[in-house]
């Protein structure tokens, strides 16, 4: 009884409520710190996957072949040969992987948002042109290779396929990891299969500017490499797939890059890599792992907002002429510029900002 009475006095005096309030504040502070660390870990694992997973898995597999566990590596290689063409046939997506909680932490680190402007018919196929490339295409990955921003809820009945370098699918383990997210090779065989033998309701996301565009990505700059990129339009015409312009505001803000001038030795090296290997090495940096004031591989936590524009209806023409390709390409360019101009002020850009089309 005495103990209960003391407790009553303790709480009635207000001291107990103050302690409870302080404990509650401490709990939320700790929770916030834990969530921030989980966000950093989720982004770090993806950056390392992007940069070294393919090479690391290849070396590990070669090492296992030289150990007593060589049978495991041999079985995987035998299966790899059998499974070699799967990426060209739509891949092997996993809704379980696409819904991992780690992607929600990845999303919240920046944060990344997906904005829908128009409905998409499930009776049609689509080619999304994604702009700009950025250094790593973070918005493209989060929005279309995971369910973190709700792409399946916003576009019900649409299956997104993010197209990336075909060379990634020659790397053991990495290829399976990419396919689980609905990522496919950006080559004609893969795109032809998805658009002609996989029914309707498919959306292939192509980062149109590619490696060439990544060389000019820098904070504060809104430019796209598009004038001479017409292959995706020709593919759309051959399959009667509607074209959809997509612009990611903030994609260029998350990394700082050393831009080499045209004619310099640095740009010469980058173009040689781009021509012969398919990607261009960039000298870039983000923030450090433990502090945003130091340099490192982590991107800066800047918001990325991906706006999916209005689909452009495209007829099916088995052998489109250059004139027809040019016509629909010009419509696409105009639609992308209009999309940029309509939403630029809403996402932090001045009304005077102009999208540079190279």
């Amino acid at each position: 009884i005495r103990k209960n009475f003391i407790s009553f006095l303790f709480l009635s005096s207000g001291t107990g409520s103050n302690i409870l309030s302080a404990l509650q504040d401490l709990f939320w502070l700790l929770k916030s710190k834990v969530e921030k660390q989980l966000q950093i870990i989720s982004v770090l694992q993806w950056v390392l996957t992007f940069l070294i997973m393919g090479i690391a898995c290849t070396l590990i597999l070669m090492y296992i072949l030289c150990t007593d566990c060589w049978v495991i590596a041999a079985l995987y290689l035998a299966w790899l040969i059998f499974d070699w063409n799967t990426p060209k046939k739509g891949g092997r997506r996993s809704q379980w992987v696409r819904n991992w909680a780690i992607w929600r932490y990845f999303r919240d680190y920046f944060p990344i948002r997906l904005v829908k402007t128009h409905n998409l018919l499930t009776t049609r196929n689509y080619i999304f042109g994604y702009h700009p490339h950025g250094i790593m295409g973070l918005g493209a990955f989060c929005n279309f290779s995971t369910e973190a921003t709700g792409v399946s809820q916003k576009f019900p009945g649409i299956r997104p396929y993010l197209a990336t370098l075909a060379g990634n699918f020659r790397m053991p383990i990495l290829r399976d990891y990419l396919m689980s997210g609905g990522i496919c090779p950006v080559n004609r065989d893969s795109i032809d299969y998805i658009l002609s033998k996989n029914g309707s309701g498919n959306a292939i996301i192509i980062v149109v500017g590619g490696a060439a565009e990544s060389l000019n990505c820098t904070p504060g700059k809104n430019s796209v490499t598009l004038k001479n990129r017409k292959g995706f339009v020709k593919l759309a015409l051959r399959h009667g797939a509607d074209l959809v312009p997509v612009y990611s505001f903030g994609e260029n803000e998350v990394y700082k890059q050393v831009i080499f001038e045209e004619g310099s030795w640095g740009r010469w090296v980058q173009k040689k890599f781009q021509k012969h290997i398919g990607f261009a090495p960039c000298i870039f940096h983000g923030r450090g792992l433990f502090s945003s004031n130091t340099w490192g591989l982590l991107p800066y936590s800047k918001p990325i907002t991906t706006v999916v524009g209005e689909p452009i209806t495209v007829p099916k023409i088995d052998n489109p002429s250059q004139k027809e390709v040019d016509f629909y390409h010009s419509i696409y360019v105009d639609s992308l510029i209009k999309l940029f101009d309509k939403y630029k002020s809403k996402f932090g850009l001045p009304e005077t900002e102009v999208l540079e089309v190279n």
Side-chain angles (χ1 to χ4, degrees):
I1 295 172
R2 183 181 298 175
K3 287 181 180 179
N4 290 337
F5 180 70
I6 293 171
S7 297
F8 172 76
L9 291 176
F10 182 73
L11 291 171
S12 63
S13 66
T15 306
S17 60
N18 290 338
I19 292 175
L20 288 174
S21 178
L23 288 173
Q24 193 174 37
D25 290 342
L26 180 61
F27 170 77
W28 286 112
L29 179 63
L30 291 173
K31 183 180 178 182
S32 177
K33 286 187 175 181
V34 169
E35 286 185 348
K36 188 62 181 176
Q37 294 305 313
L38 288 172
Q39 290 170 12
I40 290 173
I41 291 169
S42 69
V43 175
L44 179 62
Q45 69 84 24
W46 190 86
V47 170
L48 294 177
T49 296
F50 183 90
L51 294 176
I52 66 171
M53 183 176 179
I55 295 173
C57 288
T58 302
L59 293 175
I60 291 170
L61 199 65
M62 291 172 63
Y63 171 75
I64 293 174
L65 280 171
C66 301
T67 67
D68 293 338
C69 298
W70 65 269
V71 175
I72 297 174
L75 287 173
Y76 176 80
L77 289 174
W79 179 80
L80 186 63
I81 294 169
F82 174 78
D83 193 59
W84 190 253
N85 289 323
T86 298
K88 298 178 183 178
K89 297 180 179 180
R92 189 170 44 248
R93 75 174 56 220
S94 166
Q95 286 302 117
W96 175 65
V97 174
R98 287 175 61 88
N99 282 286
W100 277 353
I102 195 171
W103 305 132
R104 295 194 289 276
Y105 290 112
F106 182 97
R107 171 199 66 196
D108 294 340
Y109 173 85
F110 297 92
I112 296 174
R113 289 178 55 210
L114 179 65
V115 177
K116 169 187 174 180
T117 62
H118 291 79
N119 292 324
L120 299 180
L121 300 174
T122 57
T123 55
R124 302 284 293 173
N125 284 323
Y126 302 90
I127 292 181
F128 287 19
Y130 184 92
H131 314 269
H133 183 286
I135 297 295
M136 295 185 185
L138 294 159
F141 171 79
C142 184
N143 285 309
F144 301 113
S145 294
T146 79
E147 294 296 331
T149 56
V151 63
S152 293
Q153 286 73 44
K154 291 177 179 176
F155 300 103
I158 301 298
R159 291 181 299 276
Y161 293 86
L162 177 60
T164 189
L165 289 175
N168 289 325
F169 296 89
R170 301 187 188 103
M171 301 284 189
I173 310 300
L174 175 63
R175 67 189 292 277
D176 303 290
Y177 190 39
L178 295 178
M179 284 193 291
S180 67
I183 301 177
C184 68
V186 62
N187 57 33
R188 181 170 172 175
D189 290 342
S190 178
I191 294 172
D192 281 347
Y193 184 92
I194 293 170
L195 295 180
S196 64
K197 298 180 181 179
N198 202 37
S200 59
N202 302 293
I204 297 179
I205 298 88
I206 299 176
V207 186
V208 178
E213 188 173 85
S214 68
L215 298 179
N216 296 313
C217 294
T218 188
K221 186 173 184 178
N222 289 283
S223 66
V224 296
T225 301
L226 183 57
K227 280 184 179 178
N228 297 315
R229 300 294 175 110
K230 300 180 181 181
F232 73 105
V233 177
K234 190 173 183 178
L235 280 169
L237 285 165
R238 289 181 63 247
H239 294 283
D242 293 349
L243 290 166
V244 182
V246 179
Y247 197 85
S248 246
F249 294 90
E251 186 72 63
N252 286 346
E253 307 300 315
V254 296
Y255 279 110
K256 295 178 181 178
Q257 180 183 189
V258 176
I259 304 293
F260 293 102
E261 297 294 330
E262 290 292 338
S264 66
W265 67 269
R267 183 53 64 99
W268 179 84
V269 170
Q270 288 175 325
K271 286 187 173 181
K272 286 296 181 183
F273 265 84
Q274 179 190 336
K275 181 179 179 180
H276 298 292
I277 301 178
F279 75 92
C282 303
I283 299 177
F284 65 92
H285 74 84
R287 53 155 289 182
L289 182 59
F290 302 106
S291 172
S292 59
N293 296 321
T294 58
W295 287 12
L297 288 176
L298 280 176
Y300 293 105
S301 52
K302 303 288 186 179
I304 298 174
T305 306
T306 302
V307 184
V308 180
E310 182 178 4
I312 302 163
T313 303
V314 174
K316 189 177 186 303
I317 305 173
D318 291 333
N319 294 297
S321 65
Q322 189 60 48
K323 185 177 180 180
E324 290 167 328
V325 172
D326 291 343
F327 174 73
Y328 282 97
H329 181 267
S330 65
I331 293 176
Y332 178 87
V333 173
D334 289 342
S335 297
L336 179 65
I337 293 172
K338 288 177 182 177
L339 180 71
F340 177 84
D341 288 339
K342 183 177 180 179
Y343 289 94
K344 61 185 178 184
S345 59
K346 187 175 181 180
F347 300 119
L349 297 177
E351 283 289 347
T352 54
E353 185 72 19
V354 176
L355 179 62
E356 182 182 329
V357 180
N358 299 313

